[in-house]
């Protein structure tokens, strides 16, 4: 799993990941503040994930899945 996140942080997958996180949040009609509170991170962290500046740590996956109501695989994997 670590290599997957490393690959996505250095390739076009990172672009797709940030768009999916932002889109999923918009569909849920949640603010960055709400998502941050549910996951237990700062709003700045959510902003960094959504802009591709940083990427979530592996230990955050269960919380991300719960907050966004989506399996992590559906966020990080994409079609060519």
């Amino acid at each position: 799993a670590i290599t997957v996140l490393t690959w996505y942080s250095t390739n076009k997958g990172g672009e797709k990941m940030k768009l999916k996180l932002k889109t999923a949040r918009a569909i849920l009609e949640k603010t960055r503040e709400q998502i941050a509170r549910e996951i237990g991170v700062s709003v700045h962290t959510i902003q960094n994930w959504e802009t591709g500046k940083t990427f979530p740590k592996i230990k955050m996956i269960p919380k991300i899945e719960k907050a966004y109501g989506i399996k992590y695989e559906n966020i990080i994997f994409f079609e060519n």
Side-chain angles (χ1 to χ4, degrees), residues 1-33:
I2 293 172
T3 54
V4 171
L5 286 180
T6 301
W7 186 87
Y8 276 93
S9 67
T10 59
N11 292 290
K12 69 179 181 178
E15 291 294 314
K16 300 283 185 177
M17 182 178 182
K18 72 181 186 182
L19 292 175
K20 286 185 178 183
L21 287 174
K22 189 172 183 177
T23 301
R25 182 176 57 80
I27 290 169
L28 293 170
E29 297 182 352
K30 291 185 178 182
T31 64
R32 285 180 176 156
E33 291 81 7

Side-chain angles (χ1 to χ4, degrees), residues 24-68:
R25 182 176 57 80
I27 290 169
L28 293 170
E29 297 182 352
K30 291 185 178 182
T31 64
R32 285 180 176 156
E33 291 81 7
Q34 290 170 311
I35 292 290
R37 190 170 36 254
E38 290 178 33
I39 295 174
V41 297
S42 70
V43 173
H44 185 71
T45 297
I46 300 298
Q47 181 179 359
N48 285 343
W49 293 349
E50 289 184 357
T51 60
K53 187 173 181 180
T54 63
F55 296 89
K57 295 186 188 296
I58 299 293
K59 68 181 183 178
M60 302 307 298
I61 291 173
K63 292 179 180 183
I64 291 169
E65 289 178 328
K66 185 176 179 184
Y68 286 94

